[in-house]
Amino acid sequence: MDFINKIEKTISDFDVFISFIESEKPHLSFKRGELGKKDSFKLNQMLYHRKDVDKPNFTQYQYPVIHFMFFLAIHGDLYVKAYEKGRAVLIETSALKEFKSLNIYERYIYLLQTYWTKYDFETRFGGSYFIDYFYKFFTILLKSKKPRWFIEESGFNIYYINSRDPDFFYKMNFFGFGDYKINHDEDVFPKNSIIDFFINDFGIYCSRFLIKDAFPVWNNKYKEDFFRQKRRKNIFQNKKNPFDIFKDFFPGDKVKKTITYTDEFDRTGAYTFKVSLHSGLWRKIRISHYHYLYDLHMAIQEAFGFDNDHLYAFYIGGNRKTGKSIYCPEVEEQEGMNSEEATIEELKLFKGQKLFYLFDFGDMWWFDIKLLSIDKGSPMPPTPIIIDSQGESPDQYHDWG
């Protein structure tokens, strides 16, 4: 199989992404911390996997491949979000230099491994059900004897994937697994969704690897229970570093090196957040890097005179739909860390970043939060403190009696 031909467009586009960040030094939006419309449009025109648009009317989130490469760059530790000269930007890490020194096969594996081991599958697809669903999905692919359109032929329910992650098949196409067919029918919902996928010979090869070798390191906490139910108990007995598995993706010795990176950025200090219900009603709260999101939640409750009697959630890097959700411990079957486990430092926030806090899933109290500063020179407060305020706190139970 001609592996180079299958992966060169993937690496070429990612190299274009890196070059664009280096040459343009784009500013990020404060709300989502992403590329703006003009930069997304300009970058899109340079890509092989481009979106067919003629005006800069779309956000980064609406360009599937750009949004995915941005994810790979951040979660692959090649860049961090930072604040310079009053604007949010991407700062390269020492890992990027290592990435550039890898050969094309090693770079491809690093990106594939980053997706498979870092993407938040649990939140996006719904925990244990997704494992069973995707196990069946990749089993169908690996049993393919030849390249083919497989959704229509197999009767596979594509609606579930489209409803959970509309960009999934764009990602498969980005990695060279095959091509997709888009619905252009004006009368069919959802318009412009993917309705079929053509699996090529490389995609069949990849599916076999992902289902037979890579599942032990897939980012999902339910995977061990799933395989025990299938009586495949030994699959997790000798757990390996993900690279020890992914380096054998290509035959021979094409992959020898990967990135060995530890976070080089100091995120300690006193964090000052401005928490707002609207422009005339806000509180400024100072908190230390070692505190948890739970501590920030309690400080907000105190600052606005609420009773802490309902569930809550924080959304990082976007709103309820686009951001990473971190819930209170009382929310059952949530994925990832809860608010009593996630420290402020671990969130990797940058000065100027916005996040959202939702209190009471019934009455829906939405708070905008902006990180005003990270001060390393002042003493860190042992408990969160309210340092400034404006506006009278609302009545939490304004609809009662």
Side-chain angles (χ1 to χ4, degrees):
M1 185 184 300
D2 183 4
F3 291 110
I4 282 287
N5 184 53
K6 299 300 183 183
I7 70 174
E8 61 182 355
K9 293 182 177 65
T10 304
I11 300 306
S12 174
D13 272 358
F14 198 77
D15 286 345
V16 169
F17 175 89
I18 291 173
S19 296
F20 181 83
I21 301 301
E22 290 177 343
S23 62
E24 299 295 324
K25 296 179 173 51
H27 294 150
L28 306 181
S29 64
F30 282 124
K31 188 172 183 179
R32 291 185 176 178
E34 298 174 351
L35 300 177
K37 291 182 179 180
K38 291 182 179 179
D39 286 317
S40 296
F41 176 76
K42 186 175 181 179
L43 174 57
N44 178 67
Q45 302 304 106
M46 304 175 184
L47 302 175
Y48 173 82
H49 298 95
R50 70 174 64 90
K51 181 172 181 172
D52 185 16
V53 297
D54 56 8
K55 295 180 181 179
N57 296 336
F58 299 92
T59 64
Q60 175 190 299
Y61 183 74
Q62 294 170 298
Y63 292 90
V65 172
I66 294 177
H67 194 60
F68 185 46
M69 291 194 295
F70 194 92
F71 165 86
L72 294 173
I74 296 297
H75 288 79
D77 294 320
L78 305 180
Y79 293 92
V80 295
K81 297 176 183 179
Y83 192 80
E84 287 188 347
K85 299 179 181 179
R87 298 300 300 266
V89 295
L90 291 178
I91 301 295
E92 66 178 61
T93 70
S94 59
L96 182 61
K97 184 176 180 179
E98 287 188 74
F99 180 81
K100 291 178 179 179
S101 72
L102 302 178
N103 66 40
I104 187 172
Y105 299 103
E106 292 165 340
R107 280 180 281 164
Y108 179 89
I109 288 302
Y110 188 73
L111 297 180
L112 185 67
Q113 176 186 323
T114 297
Y115 173 53
W116 200 245
T117 61
K118 300 289 183 65
Y119 189 71
D120 194 359
F121 290 104
E122 294 178 12
T123 299
R124 178 68 71 175
F125 288 97
S128 57
Y129 177 71
F130 173 66
I131 299 181
D132 181 66
Y133 191 85
F134 261 53
Y135 186 84
K136 293 175 182 177
F137 169 76
F138 281 114
T139 299
I140 291 173
L141 296 188
L142 69 86
K143 288 182 178 179
S144 299
K145 303 299 181 183
K146 59 181 181 179
R148 66 186 179 100
W149 291 101
F150 86 94
I151 297 293
E152 294 179 354
E153 293 182 18
S154 67
F156 193 78
N157 180 10
I158 197 172
Y159 176 77
Y160 175 75
I161 294 180
N162 282 336
S163 64
R164 297 285 184 160
D165 184 2
D167 295 345
F168 174 75
F169 287 104
Y170 291 103
K171 295 166 186 172
M172 292 192 68
N173 174 248
F174 173 77
F175 279 125
F177 289 17
D179 204 357
Y180 51 80
K181 183 190 295 182
I182 295 180
N183 162 41
H184 294 293
D185 191 338
E186 295 279 350
D187 299 324
V188 176
F189 180 82
K191 181 185 174 184
N192 294 328
S193 62
I194 289 177
I195 57 175
D196 208 345
F197 190 81
F198 183 86
I199 185 73
N200 60 27
D201 54 354
F202 183 63
I204 296 170
Y205 174 87
C206 295
S207 298
R208 184 172 291 108
F209 173 82
L210 293 174
I211 198 72
K212 293 184 177 296
D213 299 305
F215 256 71
V217 293
W218 179 44
N219 186 26
N220 192 292
K221 67 182 180 182
Y222 299 99
K223 58 183 180 286
E224 296 194 34
D225 291 338
F226 173 77
F227 276 101
R228 286 193 185 98
Q229 292 172 8
K230 290 188 171 293
R231 298 182 179 179
R232 293 181 61 185
K233 297 182 180 180
N234 336 337
I235 192 169
F236 296 100
Q237 285 182 358
N238 298 314
K239 293 184 178 180
K240 298 181 178 179
N241 180 288
F243 179 67
D244 292 334
I245 293 175
F246 278 88
K247 68 182 177 59
D248 296 326
F249 179 87
F250 295 112
D253 59 353
K254 294 180 173 62
V255 178
K256 295 180 180 179
K257 298 188 301 180
T258 190
I259 293 173
T260 55
Y261 173 78
T262 55
D263 194 342
E264 62 200 37
F265 293 88
D266 181 7
R267 294 185 173 85
T268 61
Y271 286 62
T272 299
F273 292 100
K274 182 179 180 180
V275 184
S276 307
L277 269 173
H278 55 72
S279 59
L281 177 54
W282 49 262
R283 308 287 184 262
K284 291 182 182 179
I285 298 172
R286 184 165 293 160
I287 190 170
S288 299
H289 69 272
Y290 55 77
H291 284 123
Y292 296 87
L293 274 179
Y294 167 79
D295 299 309
L296 180 57
H297 153 73
M298 291 300 295
I300 296 172
Q301 291 288 302
E302 178 185 352
F304 287 89
F306 282 14
D307 287 344
N308 189 30
D309 53 354
H310 290 283
L311 303 178
Y312 65 91
F314 289 89
Y315 299 91
I316 317 298
N319 56 28
R320 194 175 190 180
K321 181 179 179 181
T322 62
K324 175 180 175 57
S325 57
I326 301 180
Y327 293 94
C328 56
E330 291 77 15
V331 174
E332 297 181 357
E333 297 186 5
Q334 64 177 296
E335 320 302 343
M337 293 187 297
N338 63 47
S339 64
E340 293 186 2
E341 298 169 328
T343 67
I344 302 299
E345 181 181 10
E346 289 172 324
L347 300 178
K348 298 183 178 181
L349 302 175
F350 58 91
K351 179 183 175 183
Q353 184 171 356
K354 288 187 177 181
L355 49 154
F356 299 90
Y357 167 69
L358 172 60
F359 175 68
D360 188 345
F361 298 166
D363 283 347
M364 304 283 285
W365 288 96
W366 278 103
F367 296 80
D368 293 349
I369 303 176
K370 182 178 181 180
L371 176 54
L372 298 179
S373 65
I374 305 175
D375 190 351
K376 299 183 181 301
S378 63
M380 288 183 290
T383 59
I385 56 175
I386 303 164
I387 60 172
D388 199 2
S389 65
Q390 179 174 304
E392 185 177 348
S393 294
D395 181 1
Q396 180 183 346
Y397 311 104
H398 56 86
D399 289 329
W400 285 21

